[in-house]
Amino acid sequence: MQITRHLLILPLILTVAACSPPTIVSPPPTKSTETPILQIDPGGNKALIRDILFTPDGRYLVSAGDDKLIRVWDINSGKTVRTLRGQIGAGREGKIFAMALSPNGQWLAVGGSFTGTVEEKKAIRLYNFASGQLIALLKGHTNVVFSLAFSPDNRFLMSGSADRSAIIWDIERQQQLHILRGHTEPIYAVAFTPDAKRVVTGSYDHNLRLWRVSDGEQIATLTGHTDKVYAVAISPRDGTIASGSHDYTIRLWDGQTGQPIKTLANQSTRIGSLSFSPDGRYLVSGVGSEPPEPTHCYILSMPNGKKIVTYRGHDNVVRATAVSPDGRVVATGGGANHEIHLWSLHDGHTKQRLRGVGASTWAVGFSADGQAIAWGKTSGPQSANQRGPLEYTLTLPTADRSLTHPQPLSSGESNFIRAQGQWRNSTLRHRAGGNYGYQDTILDIREQNRTVASIERSATDGYRHQSYTFTPDGQQIISGGSHGVLTAYNRNGHKLGDYVGHTGDVLAVAVSPDGRLLLSGSDDQTVRLWNVATRKNLLTLFHGSNGEWVAWTTSGHYTASPNGDNMVGWQINRGVTNAADYVKAKQLREHLYRPDVVDAAIRLRSVDKAVAQTEAHFNLARLQRELPPRFEIVSPQGGHKAEQGVVPVVLSIAENALEIQSFAVDVNGRQVTPETVRKINPIYKRHQRTVEVPLGTGDNRITIEAKNSLGILSGEVTVHYDGPSQIGTLHLVSIGVSAYPHLPRSKQLNFAAIDAQALHNTLATQAKKQYRDIKRTLLSDNYGQSPTKSNIEAALQNMPPAKPADTTILFLSGHGVNIGKDYYFVPRDARLRGDNKLDPNTLVPWQVLQQAITQSQGRRILLIDTCHAGNAFNPRLLQDAGNQKLVVLSATNANSVSIEKKDLGHGVFTQALLEGIKGKAALFGGGKITFKALDLYISNRVAELTQNRQKTVSQASYQGFEDFVFLQLE
């Protein structure tokens, strides 16, 4: 006999560190009329990488490109350690096309398609690289800047532009020195000779030109290429010029006279980038071609041009290359997922990959009933509408069901509908055209094998038709192109309107069977859901390779996995002459984490209606004048060894329009300060605050969270201590309800009360060697106190205060119910209203349960043996537990049920839990059961006992989880 219980599901969360401590250099936020712009930050580049470069000391790598962000990578850790942001806008506004770092590391110059006045849009942004401060705008070009280079003596900057001119800038004076004119097409490449006396420019007009720096006069025109010149590099050894073209060749030229030296053999690919090694003995070539042409990078020895290394690690265009200052490592940026690969210059062996958790979306589809969506992140055959398999799915919300979380697609693709290139006797076919060599520039609408209309794209409307479909009624064609273009046309090829939101190439589209929803996938690493009729974006989903995910509406409201909201946030522009601010969604969670708004937006097919219905009115414009707290940890520095068991942590707190209301501190997942209000006044004044933090033996990861009325900010530092750890007390509260006298027979359970008693006694016995004292409370049907509403609430309110070395465990077994957006535990004396629905006044609100445990210091653990039935699941519980840094192990996820088995005499989850804590989870010996080991044992045992019908959930598999000893048995 099997009985199922209603779901109460929460994630396991330890300390969440929002980011590396920020360097506070900016003044209080200034008033702005611009709306904050939502940006994804998956920890790596998420669009085409245009430039990469090493810092002079070789410790860091800097990357920039179409995702409008400058990233500074620590090469040792492979992580982004800081970002530089400038003002951005919609579409192309803010994309970075060129970047250069001065040889002394002082100046970082950036060019691209920017915002502001006509002059400001085409200006070069000059940053102080060390501080990240935007120092100046170099104005002079009348079109976007495609190439930049500093002189070897740090005095000059060279820029090449789509306005067909190049400018030599005096950096000290931040003024134009010379304007170089002569090219008839955009200039995509510039470089200085080693003596800084000459510069070379390469253009789409197929030519290069050599110029004198002193007077800006042209020395020579370098002709010979038969297609666009895209890349130029100059040897630091002898000044030899190397140029790369779309004609598949590399040519060498004399750097003094511009005379041709030789043409290297056909490279089998268009040249996307060129970089010399510091000694000039080797030349690296990048890739300008897309599959099916080869995507290999090469090392060529100089001056003979022989290929000595072929690097096959990338699967698409590579427009960015660099060689480390010591000449040993090559960095190449590109490929389908915009990764930076570090590999040996001498043998091509990959050393490291710098990447985030995002990936391009290559495939999308709707289930045949329209109730679920699917997508894929693996590139497959490169043909329109079939670029890869569907791999993941989630179910859309209904009145009785919330949006589910992403999970692997196990049933295959047969039940999903993808793009439809045919409707009755009408078909869609793409073909080549235009000036850019694409094979899908023109989309033909054909009837009875006759072309009735053609849609040709150009540089202003997406270049290509990379994905396209008929709507189910055959009356519209929806086509995705480059740079986020997604457009609806009628059957005559006339444009109806755009779906605005994507920032990268739209690689896949699909329309729901009823024709009301559009799904799209892009190399901007998102999946987007749209209202076909209004062309409004309803939902955007980012799904990381680490399992974390976040989905949001255009109003800023979102739902997410426990740490998913660390991967998205809002950029707040501070004007074209200032660096921008950035606030993560996690920091605004209290206002914007609203799964109910997300559900309503999809159901109603309108974000505005959803916000009105749920009364979720939070104005993001607040960020223009107010920010969450900003602070940095001044001391101790990471790696510090403490002499005492308490370390003073000094915080430097930046000016802000809002006072800090409280601080919370935890060490290795243990809360060591209660969440009491500690306001800092007055505002608009920098402060220092010292927090005394107790330590345990070994490494102590200290996380400090500050909160004001708008949001939060976390910072962390690790301190080592060799002294002894304190031995704490275990506070154990077990609640189990099997019998519900006032509810129907179908709501009665067999083993919930027995489970609570068994877990209560077993855990107390097994934990004796780990704790100096055990204080326990049991509420169940037949043992201890009766689990009524008043008894449960009183027991929780009267829990003795836990100290930093203590552990609090709350075990729950019984029914739960979701009423509206709120969750309730069902006590023994719960009653029905006149409409036969549970009366909320007779239930225990989840806030009461959670507040009782979050107020405790030390480690806080929730063990939940409940299950999913009907509308019992409330996704808000996932984030609520995580936000409070609770460790949670739950019997089920949102898509499975918890099972009671008569032959076991327990619920399956509790049975596995009991076996584990009695010793079977001590997988590595030593008499210790770590949480990860316990989680692994329970997960496998539950799957075995239920034939995979029940799946447990914890946070041990999520990125950043820090394991700990759950039980010390010896």
Side-chain angles (χ1 to χ4, degrees):
M1 179 179 180
Q2 297 182 356
I3 300 176
T4 60
R5 306 176 190 168
H6 289 276
L7 172 72
L8 175 55
I9 175 174
L10 291 169
L12 163 69
I13 290 292
L14 280 133
T15 303
V16 175
C19 57
S20 299
T23 300
I24 304 171
V25 295
S26 57
T30 56
K31 188 174 181 180
S32 170
T33 59
E34 297 186 26
T35 302
I37 300 171
L38 191 142
Q39 296 278 285
I40 305 168
D41 188 359
N45 299 97
K46 59 180 188 291
L48 179 66
I49 302 172
R50 301 280 185 168
D51 262 318
I52 54 175
L53 46 87
F54 284 92
T55 55
D57 59 9
R59 294 176 55 195
Y60 302 96
L61 194 75
V62 189
S63 64
D66 284 6
D67 62 5
K68 309 179 183 182
L69 182 68
I70 302 167
R71 289 187 176 275
V72 182
W73 302 81
D74 182 297
I75 293 176
N76 287 331
S77 68
K79 303 294 184 183
T80 301
V81 291
R82 65 189 180 108
T83 57
L84 282 68
R85 298 175 184 271
Q87 179 156 300
I88 64 174
R92 290 165 59 92
E93 293 183 336
K95 289 189 176 185
I96 297 170
F97 297 151
M99 180 176 63
L101 181 66
S102 60
N104 61 8
Q106 180 179 2
W107 304 109
L108 183 72
V110 176
S113 180
F114 297 146
T115 66
T117 65
V118 174
E119 276 191 321
E120 291 167 343
K121 288 180 179 180
K122 316 308 176 186
I124 299 164
R125 293 173 177 172
L126 188 65
Y127 290 88
N128 180 304
F129 181 65
S131 69
Q133 187 175 0
L134 182 55
I135 300 299
L137 296 181
L138 305 181
K139 302 175 184 178
H141 283 295
T142 59
N143 209 329
V144 297
V145 172
F146 281 129
S147 50
L148 290 165
F150 276 99
S151 62
D153 60 6
N154 303 293
R155 295 175 57 198
F156 306 115
L157 175 70
M158 178 75 169
S159 58
S161 169
D163 65 11
R164 307 172 185 176
S165 76
I167 298 178
I168 302 175
W169 304 85
D170 182 317
I171 287 301
E172 183 177 348
R173 298 179 180 179
Q174 297 171 14
Q175 294 178 353
Q176 296 178 21
L177 190 62
H178 305 295
I179 300 178
L180 314 182
R181 305 186 191 276
H183 284 292
T184 59
E185 294 291 340
I187 298 172
Y188 270 81
V190 297
F192 278 90
T193 57
D195 58 9
K197 293 181 178 180
R198 292 168 303 284
V199 292
V200 66
T201 55
S203 169
Y204 266 26
D205 63 12
H206 305 181
N207 299 324
L208 296 95
R209 293 174 185 261
L210 187 64
W211 316 77
R212 277 194 301 269
V213 172
S214 60
D215 57 11
E217 290 298 315
Q218 181 174 318
I219 299 171
T221 299
L222 289 58
T223 61
H225 281 297
T226 59
D227 206 337
K228 305 173 183 69
V229 176
Y230 195 83
V232 166
I234 298 183
S235 170
R237 179 173 58 175
D238 58 14
T240 296
I241 299 169
S243 59
S245 168
H246 284 191
D247 65 10
Y248 297 81
T249 68
I250 297 172
R251 290 176 177 258
L252 303 181
W253 317 80
D254 185 288
Q256 295 277 349
T257 66
Q259 291 298 308
I261 298 174
K262 67 186 303 183
T263 301
L264 306 187
N266 187 302
Q267 302 296 303
S268 74
T269 179
R270 297 175 179 177
I271 311 304
S273 178
L274 291 173
S275 296
F276 272 102
S277 60
D279 61 8
R281 296 175 58 196
Y282 304 100
L283 179 66
V284 182
S285 70
V287 184
S289 299
E290 298 179 346
E293 291 186 356
T295 57
H296 309 327
C297 299
Y298 300 107
I299 302 291
L300 300 95
S301 63
M302 290 288 113
N304 60 26
K306 181 181 178 181
K307 293 178 183 177
I308 61 172
V309 174
T310 299
Y311 183 72
R312 296 178 169 86
H314 292 288
D315 58 359
N316 215 307
V317 169
V318 177
R319 295 270 173 81
T321 58
V323 182
S324 62
D326 62 9
R328 297 179 180 180
V329 177
V330 177
T332 50
N337 289 323
H338 318 300
E339 299 177 348
I340 299 172
H341 294 188
L342 302 178
W343 45 282
S344 169
L345 181 144
H346 297 291
D347 59 22
H349 290 168
T350 303
K351 294 178 173 291
Q352 194 175 15
R353 296 187 178 187
L354 308 182
R355 56 188 175 186
V357 298
S360 299
T361 302
W362 294 94
V364 297
F366 278 94
S367 61
D369 61 6
Q371 296 298 303
I373 61 173
W375 64 96
K377 298 188 285 186
T378 300
S379 174
Q382 292 297 300
S383 61
N385 299 332
Q386 291 293 330
R387 298 182 181 274
L390 297 174
E391 300 169 305
Y392 303 94
T393 185
L394 59 75
T395 303
L396 299 176
T398 65
D400 297 324
R401 179 186 65 224
S402 291
L403 184 76
T404 63
H405 63 273
Q407 56 187 331
L409 181 62
S410 58
S411 59
E413 296 188 29
S414 58
N415 294 325
F416 285 84
I417 302 169
R418 298 172 72 161
Q420 300 297 301
Q422 182 170 353
W423 182 79
R424 296 181 182 175
N425 293 322
S426 300
T427 58
L428 300 173
R429 292 184 184 176
H430 67 265
R431 57 186 170 91
N435 298 320
Y436 299 94
Y438 296 123
Q439 299 302 307
D440 46 13
T441 297
I442 300 172
L443 183 65
D444 290 330
I445 306 168
R446 297 170 60 85
E447 295 181 6
Q448 301 287 357
N449 295 320
R450 181 176 59 88
T451 299
V452 297
S454 296
I455 307 167
E456 181 172 352
R457 283 188 163 156
S458 65
T460 61
D461 60 355
Y463 289 101
R464 315 166 62 180
H465 296 277
Q466 294 185 274
S467 53
Y468 45 81
T469 185
F470 280 111
T471 54
D473 62 5
Q475 299 308 301
Q476 291 188 48
I477 295 99
I478 299 174
S479 170
S482 300
H483 304 306
V485 171
L486 183 57
T487 306
Y489 304 91
N490 65 17
R491 291 178 59 85
N492 295 322
H494 295 149
K495 180 177 176 178
L496 300 175
D498 290 315
Y499 298 83
V500 179
H502 280 300
T503 58
D505 294 3
V506 180
L507 303 173
V509 292
V511 181
S512 61
D514 63 6
R516 301 175 71 181
L517 295 174
L518 168 67
L519 189 66
S520 58
S522 169
D523 75 351
D524 66 12
Q525 305 184 350
T526 68
V527 178
R528 292 182 184 250
L529 190 67
W530 313 81
N531 182 319
V532 169
T534 65
R535 294 187 286 278
K536 298 294 187 181
N537 183 216
L538 303 177
L539 185 76
T540 301
L541 168 70
F542 176 84
H543 178 214
S545 59
N546 58 354
E548 302 282 3
W549 62 277
V550 55
W552 64 91
T553 68
T554 51
S555 62
H557 299 99
Y558 70 91
T559 182
S561 60
N563 294 320
D565 47 7
N566 271 324
M567 302 185 299
V568 66
W570 287 268
Q571 174 165 321
I572 303 98
N573 289 332
R574 300 301 185 194
V576 294
T577 58
N578 295 302
D581 285 313
Y582 183 74
V583 176
K584 293 187 177 184
K586 190 83 170 181
Q587 297 179 258
L588 303 177
R589 178 193 177 279
E590 184 176 335
H591 304 287
L592 294 176
Y593 181 77
R594 293 293 299 268
D596 56 319
V597 178
V598 174
D599 290 347
I602 299 172
R603 291 198 319 268
L604 301 173
R605 295 177 177 82
S606 169
V607 175
D608 291 341
K609 290 180 180 179
V611 170
Q613 184 182 86
T614 57
E615 299 182 350
H617 301 289
F618 176 79
N619 189 357
L620 284 168
R622 282 186 65 182
L623 298 176
Q624 298 160 359
R625 60 185 184 278
E626 300 171 345
L627 288 174
R630 297 179 297 162
F631 69 86
E632 61 181 344
I633 297 176
V634 176
S635 68
Q637 298 297 309
H640 174 78
K641 290 187 177 181
E643 300 294 331
Q644 305 294 328
V646 176
V647 63
V649 178
V650 181
L651 310 178
S652 176
I653 302 166
E655 309 160 36
N656 202 315
L658 300 173
E659 63 187 9
I660 293 180
Q661 298 173 324
S662 64
F663 286 97
V665 184
D666 68 77
V667 179
N668 293 338
R670 292 181 177 273
Q671 183 167 282
V672 299
T673 58
E675 291 194 20
T676 54
V677 175
R678 301 171 182 182
K679 293 185 178 179
I680 291 182
N681 284 304
I683 59 176
Y684 290 128
K685 184 178 180 182
R686 186 177 296 272
H687 294 266
Q688 278 202 345
R689 167 65 62 94
T690 300
V691 181
E692 301 289 334
V693 179
L695 304 174
T697 305
D699 285 338
N700 293 261
R701 189 178 70 173
I702 301 169
T703 302
I704 299 179
E705 181 180 279
K707 179 180 180 181
N708 63 20
S709 62
L710 180 63
I712 61 173
L713 177 69
S714 294
E716 72 173 44
V717 65
T718 298
V719 174
H720 187 83
Y721 175 58
D722 288 326
S725 297
Q726 294 184 358
I727 299 176
T729 295
L730 172 63
H731 302 267
L732 176 61
V733 177
S734 304
I735 303 171
V737 187
S738 292
Y740 297 91
H742 308 295
L743 301 183
R745 179 176 297 181
S746 61
K747 298 297 184 182
Q748 310 306 308
L749 298 171
N750 287 333
F751 303 119
I754 296 173
D755 287 350
Q757 181 193 18
L759 187 282
H760 191 75
N761 294 333
T762 302
L763 190 57
T765 300
Q766 298 297 96
K768 288 181 179 179
K769 294 186 179 296
Q770 186 171 352
Y771 298 97
R772 65 180 181 182
D773 190 15
I774 298 176
K775 298 180 179 180
R776 50 185 179 146
T777 302
L778 173 65
L779 298 95
S780 69
D781 292 338
N782 303 317
Y783 314 95
Q785 301 178 49
S786 178
T788 62
K789 173 180 170 66
S790 60
N791 284 347
I792 292 172
E793 292 180 347
L796 294 172
Q797 292 170 1
N798 295 326
M799 288 174 61
K803 297 181 179 180
D806 295 349
T807 296
T808 301
I809 298 179
L810 174 61
F811 176 79
L812 295 173
S813 185
H815 282 310
V817 63
N818 183 32
I819 301 176
K821 66 179 182 180
D822 298 318
Y823 188 85
Y824 299 86
F825 184 75
V826 183
R828 178 182 174 85
D829 55 343
R831 295 178 179 270
L832 300 176
R833 301 182 307 197
D835 57 2
N836 286 324
K837 294 182 179 180
L838 282 166
D839 182 356
N841 294 321
T842 68
L843 309 178
V844 180
W846 177 248
Q847 290 87 342
V848 172
L849 297 164
Q850 183 166 290
Q851 186 175 11
I853 192 170
T854 55
Q855 287 181 337
S856 300
Q857 294 188 62
R859 193 179 302 282
R860 291 81 53 81
I861 302 172
L862 286 170
L863 303 174
I864 313 296
D865 192 0
T866 58
C867 81
H868 175 224
N871 192 28
F873 174 66
N874 190 326
R876 188 172 186 89
L877 299 182
L878 298 171
Q879 281 276 343
D880 282 346
N883 190 55
Q884 300 296 336
K885 305 177 183 65
L886 307 182
V887 179
V888 180
L889 182 55
S890 174
T892 67
N893 62 17
N895 300 300
S896 64
V897 298
S898 182
I899 298 171
E900 291 186 325
K901 281 196 169 185
K902 188 174 182 180
D903 58 334
L904 296 177
H906 289 294
V908 171
F909 172 79
T910 298
Q911 175 68 29
L913 177 58
L914 292 171
E915 293 175 3
I917 63 178
K918 287 179 180 178
K920 289 189 176 182
L923 302 180
F924 305 106
K928 294 181 180 180
I929 299 175
T930 67
F931 186 84
K932 280 192 174 182
L934 180 64
D935 175 49
L936 179 62
Y937 177 81
I938 293 173
S939 175
N940 291 335
R941 182 62 170 149
V942 167
E944 175 189 355
L945 291 171
T946 64
Q947 292 75 51
N948 291 315
R949 287 180 294 162
Q950 180 176 334
K951 296 182 179 180
T952 62
V953 64
S954 79
Q955 203 58 20
S957 61
Y958 281 97
Q959 193 176 45
F961 174 80
E962 189 170 336
D963 204 8
F964 62 94
V965 176
F966 183 83
L967 274 179
Q968 180 75 50
L969 301 179
E970 296 178 2

